[in-house]
Amino acid sequence: MWGELAEKDGEIPLQLIDEKPVVAFCDVKGSIFQGDFCISTIHISSVLIHPTFQRAKEMQNWHDGMKAQNKDITLMPSKLIREAREVKIKDIINGSSATMKDSYRRFNARITTLVDKDEPWYSSCKKCYKKVNIKNKIVNCSSCMSENVDHEERYRLKIDVFDGDRHSNITLFDAARYLLGCDQNNISANIFLLMLQKED
């Protein structure tokens, strides 16, 4: 969202971000940025939050159903990932920028080590998800340039994986919840169990 629309209506989606409402955009511009489809507002764009037309109701019902099953739709693999070409780790590391630019690849690998098992999280700004600085109980976000911001612990789990040919370090953020089976507030016991399973 840009310009006057961002200034007038931009705060509303941020206030409702935990609710994950259905949002409809009208008269927007579509583009491809780094392989992802993006939409941007222009001077005649309009935004509808919690629209009441039938397709919006169906989407909201679907979202509520996923939430009831404790499924986080933001962590589900996208169509781009499901249809991506399967490669080896070395193909990604050795691939030229011209070949790999604006494209998706996927690979299968086995986890060999939890690199940062003692502290696989960081204090994150709830607005921009960047790391915050906490000093004397005052939380500052240098990205938002704000003091006393709302913050939370967020996963940043580093793992070493092996695909049978090559090792690589991978950093997982919210997706670590699927690997460990819990949120960051209940992590210690699950990391211990995962290490025991790896040793077995």
Side-chain angles (χ1 to χ4, degrees), residues 5 34 39 48 56 58 60 76 79 82 105 119 122 133 157 178 182-183 186 190 195 197:
L5 188 64
Q34 294 184 349
I39 58 175
L48 301 175
E58 292 173 358
Q60 188 65 59
M76 291 182 178
K79 183 179 180 181
R82 292 196 303 270
R105 300 289 187 270
E119 194 170 309
Y122 69 102
N133 297 313
L157 178 65
Y178 281 129
C182 66
D183 62 26
N186 301 294
N190 291 62
M195 292 299 292
Q197 292 171 2

Side-chain angles (χ1 to χ4, degrees), residues 1-2 25 28-41 80 102 104:
M1 299 174 67
W2 302 92
F25 290 88
V28 294
K29 178 178 69 175
S31 61
I32 301 295
F33 178 70
Q34 294 184 349
D36 291 327
F37 176 72
C38 305
I39 58 175
S40 302
T41 59
L80 286 172
D102 295 340
Y104 286 83

Side-chain angles (χ1 to χ4, degrees), residues 56-127:
K57 291 180 179 178
E58 292 173 358
M59 183 176 290
Q60 188 65 59
N61 290 337
W62 171 79
H63 173 266
D64 293 343
M66 293 294 100
K67 186 176 181 180
Q69 299 176 50
N70 293 320
K71 292 183 178 179
D72 189 344
I73 61 174
T74 64
L75 299 181
M76 291 182 178
S78 66
K79 183 179 180 181
L80 286 172
I81 295 298
R82 292 196 303 270
E83 296 180 352
R85 183 162 64 89
E86 186 170 322
V87 297
K88 303 290 283 186
I89 291 176
K90 66 178 181 181
D91 298 325
I92 298 175
I93 296 175
N94 298 331
S96 67
S97 58
T99 303
M100 304 300 294
K101 184 180 179 181
D102 295 340
S103 62
Y104 286 83
R105 300 289 187 270
R106 59 187 175 90
F107 62 88
N108 291 320
R110 178 174 58 88
I111 299 173
T112 59
T113 305
L114 298 179
V115 178
D116 56 354
K117 61 181 181 298
D118 295 326
E119 194 170 309
W121 59 79
Y122 69 102
S123 296
S124 158
C125 173
K126 281 191 174 182
K127 185 175 182 180

